[in-house]
């Protein structure tokens, strides 16, 4: 095992703070991601928190400020579960870097996405107990992990709309796949915001604040925003660009691996697709000729409304080099854009262009 109980073959983008993704093939065939293959995205060192003394503060535009221990959460609120896929906003950034370099940003491949069954309590129940006051349009989250990416350095935080926060799918989670939440994934408590970028599922949660405006934290106000292609990210300030929330429609190929050498003939191609927010994947197409013609893949039923869907198809692999392309459609009729060149932005977010692998036979 490598660091934090992860697979030895994890692609580690950074050791401190720890950022890593599994090889694409490690995600193939799993509705829920094996814990050792679950990607890690951190912005600062993992904080050391004693669960016995940890407390969650709920404050801001509420009638009753709350200070809750884990025991309080378990005793006062009904336990809830949700199976949800998390995806980093930088997932597949490597495809944008192929268009033009993105200095200072990790070249994430397709593995910055994963699925687990999360257990905890509904954020909506906690907010109801606190009593939201009029004007509480946003729910902000704060954590103790200090990031040097902000200037000056500051603890990580972010916010979501109150409308989303009151959805029954949004949890304050203490368990992952039936086991206590691992430290690297946010123990003792984290937020799970299904359908939204992973940056909003704040780990090591210590404070929930109801407020009139979005969080002023660097990672809400300045980072995780799509800037125009011509913008200088070093000069971007609060409010510049488009703030990221719901995940954009995306898919990628998980097996075979990119660059694999295979015998010609019938070959199974598998992958995942994810629509984000409350949309579903309606169709996945696969092409062997660069998109001139397409064959529809078999798509798994959406067993859980907040998870990816896996797909598969068998193609007749010709001799020589071949490029396999995949694209997804969602329940609104939207389809992934063809080229990453049209999506390039100076922070490398939201590459949801057609997916490709190259094979040799």
């Amino acid at each position: 095992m490598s660091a934090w109980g992860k697979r030895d073959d994890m692609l580690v983008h950074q050791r401190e703070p720890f950022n890593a993704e599994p090889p694409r093939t490690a995600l193939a065939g799993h509705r829920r991601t094996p814990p050792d293959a679950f990607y890690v995205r951190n912005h600062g060192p993992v904080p050391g928190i004693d669960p016995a003394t940890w407390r969650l503060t709920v404050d801001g535009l509420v009638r009753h400020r709350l200070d809750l221990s884990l025991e309080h959460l378990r005793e006062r609120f009904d336990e809830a579960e949700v199976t949800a896929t998390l995806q980093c906003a930088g997932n597949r950034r490597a495809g944008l870097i192929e268009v033009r370099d993105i200095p200072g940003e990790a070249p994430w491949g397709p593995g910055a996405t994963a699925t687990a069954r999360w257990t905890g309590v509904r954020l909506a129940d906690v907010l109801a107990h606190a009593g939201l006051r009029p004007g509480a349009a946003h729910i902000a989250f704060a954590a103790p992990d200090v990031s040097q990416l902000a200037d000056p350095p500051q603890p990580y935080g972010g916010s979501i709309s109150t409308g989303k926060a009151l959805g029954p799918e949004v949890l304050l989670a203490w368990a992952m796949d039936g086991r206590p939440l691992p430290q690297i994934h946010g123990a003792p408590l984290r937020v799970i915001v299904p359908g939204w970028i992973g940056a909003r599922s704040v780990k090591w949660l210590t404070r929930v604040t109801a407020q009139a405006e979005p969080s002023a934290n660097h990672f809400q106000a300045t980072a995780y925003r799509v800037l125009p292609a011509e913008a200088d990210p070093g000069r971007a300030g609060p409010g510049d660009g488009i703030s990221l929330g719901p995940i954009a429609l995306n898919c990628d190929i998980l097996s075979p691996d990119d660059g694999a050498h295979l015998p010609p003939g019938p070959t199974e191609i598998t992958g995942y697709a994810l629509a984000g927010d409350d949309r579903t994947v309606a169709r996945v197409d696969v092409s062997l000729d660069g998109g001139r013609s397409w064959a529809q893949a078999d798509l798994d039923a959406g067993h859980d409304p907040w998870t990816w869907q896996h797909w598969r198809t068998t193609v007749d692999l010709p001799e020589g080099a071949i490029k396999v392309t995949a694209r997804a459609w969602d329940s609104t009729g939207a389809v992934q854009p063809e080229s990453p060149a049209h999506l390039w932005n100076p922070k490398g977010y939201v590459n949801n262009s057609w997916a490709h692998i190259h094979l040799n036979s």
Side-chain angles (χ1 to χ4, degrees):
M1 288 288 186
S2 64
W4 300 104
K6 298 300 178 179
R7 298 166 55 106
D8 287 335
D9 58 357
M10 292 287 279
L11 175 58
V12 178
H13 296 295
Q14 192 174 6
R15 291 285 177 185
E16 188 62 51
F18 188 66
N19 288 288
E21 65 180 300
R24 69 174 70 225
T25 53
L27 301 177
H30 299 287
R31 281 180 53 201
R32 294 209 305 263
T33 307
D36 65 346
F38 205 105
Y39 80 97
V40 179
R41 175 65 173 111
N42 290 329
H43 301 82
V46 176
I49 299 174
D50 181 359
T53 59
W54 170 90
R55 295 293 184 273
L56 175 68
T57 299
V58 182
D59 62 5
L61 293 174
V62 297
R63 293 182 173 85
H64 310 287
R65 173 189 165 113
L66 306 178
D67 289 287
L68 303 167
S69 66
L70 280 176
E71 185 178 2
H72 291 149
L73 286 169
R74 292 176 183 271
E75 289 178 349
R76 297 182 187 179
F77 304 100
D78 292 336
E79 186 173 285
E81 287 189 345
V82 64
T83 300
T85 300
L86 300 186
Q87 186 169 100
C88 178
N91 188 53
R92 302 184 63 213
R93 180 181 285 133
L96 297 178
I97 292 174
E98 291 176 3
V99 174
R100 194 192 318 173
D101 192 25
I102 304 175
E105 298 293 340
W108 291 95
T113 187
T115 302
R117 176 169 53 89
W118 310 94
T119 305
V121 297
R122 292 183 180 90
L123 176 58
D125 291 347
V126 175
L127 294 174
H129 192 67
L132 290 176
R133 291 185 178 276
H138 301 269
I139 306 299
F141 308 119
D145 51 320
V146 177
S147 175
Q148 300 297 316
L149 298 174
D151 185 17
Q154 65 176 260
Y156 188 83
S159 64
I160 60 176
S161 65
T162 297
K164 179 63 177 179
L166 295 180
E169 72 277 5
V170 179
L171 298 189
L172 305 180
W174 58 65
M176 177 179 178
D177 290 329
R179 298 182 178 182
L181 198 63
Q183 185 182 11
I184 193 65
H185 291 300
L189 194 78
R190 70 172 298 168
V191 189
I192 296 297
V193 186
W196 284 42
I197 62 168
R200 306 303 175 222
S201 291
V202 175
K203 297 185 282 190
W204 309 295
L205 184 68
T206 56
R207 187 177 295 271
V208 174
T209 302
Q211 54 193 56
E213 303 295 334
S215 171
N217 187 276
H218 170 81
F219 294 98
Q220 180 81 37
T222 302
Y224 291 105
R225 305 179 77 92
V226 175
L227 299 170
E230 67 276 9
D232 178 356
R235 296 185 177 181
D240 289 346
I242 302 169
S243 181
L244 294 174
I247 295 170
L249 172 66
N250 216 332
C251 85
D252 213 319
I253 300 164
L254 297 179
S255 181
D257 203 357
D258 187 31
H261 291 261
L262 302 169
T267 302
E268 186 177 60
I269 310 292
T270 69
Y272 74 84
L274 179 64
D277 205 14
D278 58 356
R279 292 165 284 117
T280 58
V281 177
R283 193 174 91 206
V284 173
D285 301 328
V286 176
S287 175
L288 300 184
D289 56 14
R292 290 188 297 275
S293 63
W294 298 90
Q296 190 169 334
D298 294 325
L299 181 66
D300 286 353
H303 298 285
D304 300 285
W306 301 105
T307 64
W308 57 13
Q309 291 168 252
H310 284 248
W311 54 266
R312 64 195 51 78
T313 189
T314 299
V315 301
D316 189 13
L317 201 65
E319 291 187 2
I322 190 77
K323 182 170 77 171
V324 183
T325 302
R327 68 180 184 188
W329 302 71
D330 73 14
S331 51
T332 71
V335 64
Q336 290 178 258
E338 177 179 354
S339 173
H342 300 151
L343 300 171
W344 191 94
N345 61 90
K347 296 295 287 183
Y349 294 135
V350 200
N351 178 19
N352 70 331
S353 60
W354 294 357
H356 306 283
I357 61 169
H358 294 84
L359 302 177
N360 295 280
S361 60

